[in-house]
Amino acid sequence: MKTENREKELWQHILDDVRAQGFVGSYGMESYLSKLTLIKDTGTKLILEYPEELLIDWVEVNYADYVVNSASRVLNGARTLEFIKAAPAEQPAPEKEEPQAMLPLEFRSTESTPADEQVEAPSSSPRARSSKRKPSARTSHFNSGLNEDYTFENFVPGSNSEFAYAAAQAIVEHPGALYNPLFIQGDCGLGKTHLLQAIGNAIRAKDEDARVLYVTSEEFTNSYIDALPNKGAGLKKFRDKYRQADVLLIDDVQFLAKKGKTQDEFFFTFNALFSSKKQIVLTADCPASEVVGMDARLTSRFEQGLSVSINPPDFETRMAILRSKSKQWRSDLIDQDVLRFLAENITRSVRRLEGALTCLSTMAAFSHSRPTIADARAQLRQFMRDEPTSNLSIKAIQQSVADAFNLRVADLNGRRRTAAIAHPRQIAMFLARHHTGSSLQDIGAAFGGRDHGTVIHATRTIEKKLETDPDLRAIVSRLRAELSA
């Protein structure tokens, strides 16, 4: 009972934090989050139980990120979420079984399933439960930070990622001996984190004594900052945590840029692991040589192993991903022509592609009908808003932005960095990044020969400002409307 009370109290603290952040309204709190029950905190994962009638896909798409962020604050450490369905109340056996193949797994009733044939999500489902092994004495107190749902089995490789996929699998067979470090680069939402954690999960499945540690570069930075006040014991604990790992997986290493002291600490950690033949795998959103503000010593070490790329998936791969997810969720509510529409119109991000499928599946479950292409077009505008427009050129964007700010296109392409020019230039780069199919290198070249990192910085700057600056949102919205006219 004490444990139940503890979990109940802990969950209430998390919900209070979610409510305090102001992103989830009273309707979302009462209708969805309050109906979840915290069953267990494993140290890396919160296991949440939901009633059968709750649309858990809707919760995951709309509220899971807020729960994860609040849990991290309340518990002083990152947690992933696992959702399990509450056991249904006992009911008389039905006289006749009704097939339910039309509904995704999360929306099916279990009433027609015999007691000895309980339906569970296949092992590759995002919510599948992994088989649990008792940790060895060496790893029982070692928090890996891994999400057990990220596996090789539910990663769909294509021509865009087959080399990275093969290299990742090779590392599992010989960690520390081949491709050390492995550097995986690609844009956001293409599967870098999935592949990175799949390596860690596969190594742990093969060797339960292996100390596998997954962290983002932000978590590494925060751990280092937290260790500084108590330089003796704090730094020793910090260094032991990272340097005792057998496999170190660092996500989004580009965020170490311009953090001089943190880079120094990571440099020594890298050297300690590398000299001990421990496996290091890194991800970034650009090649190592193009991370602006990265110490040359680190860049050279990142490049000494194997660098592989994950590119936007081609049409065939996007279709394979959609079919795979539909199969994992046991849903045939979405017709093939609608899947084809998604694959043709959402091209930049695998994450966005999966989100669009989840949205349509949820809508279909609500309405008990198959969505048409017209339904998909109407419901998924936010998913397709930033997709490239084939007939839109960088020059057209430059001209529109220059006109809006009473500048010349030559000003945007020149070397002057005054605020009156730099800000419109960043807007133009942002629009080119989101509304043309041009590569980062091509965009940089079109703006006076600037590099890949400058385009990334400009895009992130505008994306961040759009969250808080209504005037900028109005300008960008007007420019988008003019360009799409």
Side-chain angles (χ1 to χ4, degrees):
M1 182 62 69
K2 290 183 178 179
T3 300
E4 292 179 1
N5 289 337
R6 176 186 174 279
E7 307 296 353
K8 183 177 180 180
E9 183 178 349
L10 179 59
W11 180 236
Q12 189 58 53
H13 285 319
I14 294 172
L15 290 181
D16 289 342
D17 188 87
V18 172
R19 186 180 287 106
Q21 298 307 309
F23 295 113
V24 179
S26 57
Y27 177 80
M29 296 297 301
E30 298 302 321
S31 300
Y32 296 100
L33 295 186
S34 66
K35 294 184 179 179
L36 300 172
T37 303
L38 178 60
I39 301 300
K40 186 177 181 181
D41 172 19
T42 69
T44 61
K45 178 190 297 184
L46 298 181
I47 300 176
L48 296 164
E49 187 180 75
Y50 65 95
E52 185 177 4
E53 66 273 10
L54 188 67
L55 292 172
I56 197 62
D57 271 284
W58 183 260
V59 174
E60 288 196 30
V61 170
N62 292 279
Y63 304 115
D65 286 346
Y66 302 126
V67 174
V68 167
N69 291 337
S70 290
S72 178
R73 282 188 291 270
V74 171
L75 301 171
N76 296 317
R79 298 292 193 277
T80 58
L81 304 180
E82 178 179 349
F83 297 94
I84 60 174
K85 186 185 294 184
E90 292 187 7
Q91 296 184 12
E95 296 180 2
K96 182 179 180 181
E97 294 186 1
E98 296 293 336
Q100 296 185 343
M102 291 291 290
L103 287 177
L105 180 64
E106 289 75 16
F107 306 131
R108 292 186 187 181
S109 166
T110 58
E111 294 175 3
S112 62
T113 305
D116 59 346
E117 295 180 9
Q118 291 299 314
V119 176
E120 294 186 0
S123 61
S124 56
S125 168
R127 283 167 295 284
R129 299 188 209 176
S130 303
S131 58
K132 303 293 191 300
R133 292 188 314 275
K134 183 179 180 181
S136 67
R138 184 172 186 265
T139 59
S140 58
H141 300 293
F142 192 82
N143 185 345
S144 71
L146 290 168
N147 182 339
E148 296 172 349
D149 294 331
Y150 289 131
T151 66
F152 285 117
E153 288 71 23
N154 59 25
F155 184 91
V156 181
S159 59
N160 64 310
S161 60
E162 57 188 358
F163 184 33
Y165 184 78
Q169 289 188 312
I171 280 177
V172 174
E173 297 302 317
H174 305 285
L178 291 173
Y179 315 140
N180 200 17
L182 176 65
F183 190 95
I184 305 172
Q185 70 97 5
D187 214 341
C188 62
L190 296 181
K192 299 189 303 296
T193 297
H194 188 148
L195 199 56
L196 183 67
Q197 295 209 37
I199 293 171
N201 282 318
I203 290 175
R204 288 186 71 196
K206 186 178 179 183
D207 179 5
E208 63 181 14
D209 289 332
R211 291 191 176 200
V212 179
L213 179 59
Y214 165 85
V215 293
T216 65
S217 61
E218 182 181 10
E219 289 170 338
F220 182 90
T221 301
N222 291 338
S223 295
Y224 176 61
I225 293 171
D226 291 342
L228 289 177
N230 186 4
K231 289 188 177 180
L235 283 175
K236 182 181 185 304
K237 183 178 179 181
F238 167 82
R239 288 165 180 164
D240 286 347
K241 173 182 177 179
Y242 290 98
R243 299 181 192 185
Q244 290 178 3
D246 298 314
V247 179
L248 180 62
L249 311 170
I250 300 285
D251 211 355
D252 290 324
V253 74
Q254 74 273 3
F255 289 116
L256 293 178
K258 300 182 181 179
K259 298 180 176 69
K261 295 295 185 182
T262 305
Q263 287 189 42
D264 288 342
E265 193 62 40
F266 185 66
F267 173 78
F268 294 120
T269 296
F270 185 103
N271 283 350
L273 292 173
F274 185 81
S275 62
S276 301
K277 299 188 182 302
K278 305 301 185 182
Q279 182 65 54
I280 304 166
V281 188
L282 313 156
T283 74
D285 61 5
C286 62
S289 61
E290 297 181 8
V291 179
V292 178
M294 187 66 74
D295 191 311
R297 298 176 302 169
L298 281 175
T299 300
S300 67
R301 279 157 177 77
F302 295 166
E303 294 179 322
Q304 73 187 43
L306 176 66
S307 293
V308 295
S309 298
I310 298 182
N311 301 309
D314 58 20
F315 172 78
E316 289 75 14
T317 304
R318 296 195 296 272
M319 280 298 294
I321 290 169
L322 290 170
R323 287 168 177 161
S324 173
K325 292 302 175 184
S326 294
K327 183 178 180 181
Q328 289 170 21
W329 301 340
R330 298 184 188 177
S331 170
D332 63 354
L333 276 171
I334 312 301
D335 290 332
Q336 291 298 306
D337 62 334
V338 177
L339 293 183
R340 178 177 291 274
F341 172 80
L342 297 183
E344 289 174 343
N345 289 277
I346 302 176
T347 62
R348 284 193 182 277
S349 168
V350 173
R351 186 179 298 134
R352 181 176 292 185
L353 192 65
E354 293 177 356
L357 179 61
T358 299
C359 181
L360 284 187
S361 296
T362 305
M363 183 185 76
F366 270 126
S367 63
H368 302 287
S369 63
R370 294 176 178 274
T372 64
I373 290 177
D375 294 330
R377 182 178 286 108
Q379 293 295 324
L380 303 178
R381 288 173 183 167
Q382 73 275 23
F383 291 94
M384 296 185 286
R385 182 186 60 196
D386 294 336
E387 291 298 320
T389 304
S390 58
N391 61 349
L392 193 58
S393 68
I394 297 175
K395 287 184 178 180
I397 290 173
Q398 290 174 330
Q399 189 63 62
S400 291
V401 173
D403 292 344
F405 287 89
N406 295 318
L407 298 171
R408 300 172 302 156
V409 171
D411 294 327
L412 299 179
N413 298 339
R415 309 314 297 177
R416 294 173 61 193
R417 298 182 179 179
T418 62
I421 295 176
H423 182 57
R425 181 185 293 137
Q426 288 180 332
I427 293 174
M429 288 183 176
F430 165 83
L431 292 170
R433 179 75 183 99
H434 284 290
H435 294 284
T436 74
S438 301
S439 67
L440 293 168
Q441 291 82 356
D442 288 344
I443 294 172
F447 283 86
R450 287 174 167 81
D451 63 21
H452 172 282
T454 301
V455 180
I456 292 176
H457 174 72
T459 302
R460 287 181 180 156
T461 298
I462 297 303
E463 287 174 343
K464 189 172 183 179
K465 288 181 178 179
L466 283 171
E467 296 176 359
T468 57
D469 189 339
D471 292 334
L472 178 60
R473 286 199 295 269
I475 291 170
V476 170
S477 179
R478 185 174 72 251
L479 285 168
R480 280 174 163 160
E482 292 174 357
L483 290 166
S484 62

